[in-house]
Amino acid sequence: MRLLDIPHRGRTLRGALHLPADTDAPVPAVVFCHGFGGNRAEFGYTFVRAAERMAAHGIAAYRFDFAGCGDSEGEFEDLTVSDQVAQTTAVLDAVAAHPAIDAERVSLLGMSLGGLTASLAAPLRQVRSLILWAPAAVAVAMSDEGAKRRAEAIAEFGYDDFGGLPIHQAFVDDAEDIDPFADAAAYPGPVLLAVGSEDFVLEPGVLERYEHAYAGRLDLHLFDGVGHGFETVPARERLVELSAEFAARHA
């Protein structure tokens, strides 16, 4: 593993590049997008383990912190989905330009809000494959009740307190212009979708809308008995291996 910084709009995005051992030829790669308020290690260091598993399959992996998160520069209060999409496309371009990477074989993996971000970035760069862990489409497609509660919180406090992290009006305004399913459907390649049966973001109809968006390109895996963070050792091991095998199959 080696550290790799990428500039974006006056900020430095910091990340870690995992390369397969003993290879001289350019290799395929997967860019990892973490969830809301997370970092490039992700829950239980699962991104680290997944990156190492990718490398064992002959695939490079780049894990980075979004602006305002982890070690990257920027302010968390400025977070919007569109900005994260722009960061992701910049990272894809930088990774594709790396001398160790085959520019024609770069894929995306995203968790939660990072999954939503990856699904929106994928059509902009026509990545090789797309891996979504519990994508948080509800972040931009909230119920009327949820949107009302968020608006009231922002009006009273200046932000909505989401698990100890603030969501500001800029995030809400940006989300109004995003259709998480129609916008994602423009990506024509293969998609792996992994979700827990008890996931709080798995609102009624979400899976059906992803199935419609990705039509025959979707490889859906429902993990029984776990929630948003795939909270058991077997579930996380299965998630890591499924993702590595999928990336290798479509590299």
Side-chain angles (χ1 to χ4, degrees), residues 39-50 133 229-233 236-237 240:
N39 58 58
R40 63 183 183 255
E42 254 305 340
F43 58 85
Y45 311 108
T46 310
F47 268 15
V48 180
R49 295 173 51 221
W133 296 359
F230 301 90
E231 304 89 351
T232 68
V233 171
R236 291 180 177 181
E237 174 58 28
V240 166

Side-chain angles (χ1 to χ4, degrees), residues 102-143:
D102 184 340
E104 300 299 319
R105 296 194 290 164
V106 180
S107 297
L108 265 176
L109 182 154
M111 166 63 194
S112 192
L113 188 65
L116 171 63
T117 300
S119 72
L120 300 173
L124 303 179
R125 289 298 183 272
Q126 299 299 321
V127 298
R128 191 81 166 201
S129 66
L130 177 62
I131 300 169
L132 305 177
W133 296 359
V138 296
V140 296
M142 297 183 71
S143 65

Side-chain angles (χ1 to χ4, degrees), residues 7 49 69 115 122 145 197:
R49 295 173 51 221
C69 300
E145 180 181 352
S197 64

Side-chain angles (χ1 to χ4, degrees), residues 6 20 39 51 54 76 87 118 121 139 152 156 166 174-175 183 195 208 214 231:
I6 295 173
N39 58 58
M54 297 281 183
F76 187 81
Q87 292 173 55
E152 290 172 347
E156 182 174 359
D174 176 72
D183 294 348
V195 293
E208 290 78 8
Y214 292 126
E231 304 89 351

Side-chain angles (χ1 to χ4, degrees), residues 125-181:
R125 289 298 183 272
Q126 299 299 321
V127 298
R128 191 81 166 201
S129 66
L130 177 62
I131 300 169
L132 305 177
W133 296 359
V138 296
V140 296
M142 297 183 71
S143 65
D144 290 341
E145 180 181 352
K148 180 175 182 292
R149 183 203 59 75
R150 175 160 292 172
E152 290 172 347
I154 292 174
E156 182 174 359
F157 303 109
Y159 61 88
D160 180 27
D161 191 326
F162 185 79
L165 291 168
I167 294 177
H168 292 268
Q169 188 63 42
F171 184 97
V172 177
D173 293 342
D174 176 72
E176 291 180 354
D177 296 324
I178 297 171
D179 183 324
F181 305 104

Side-chain angles (χ1 to χ4, degrees), residues 16-34:
L17 179 65
H18 299 249
L19 292 171
D22 304 323
T23 180
D24 295 324
V27 296
V30 179
V31 169
F32 288 30
C33 301
H34 67 75

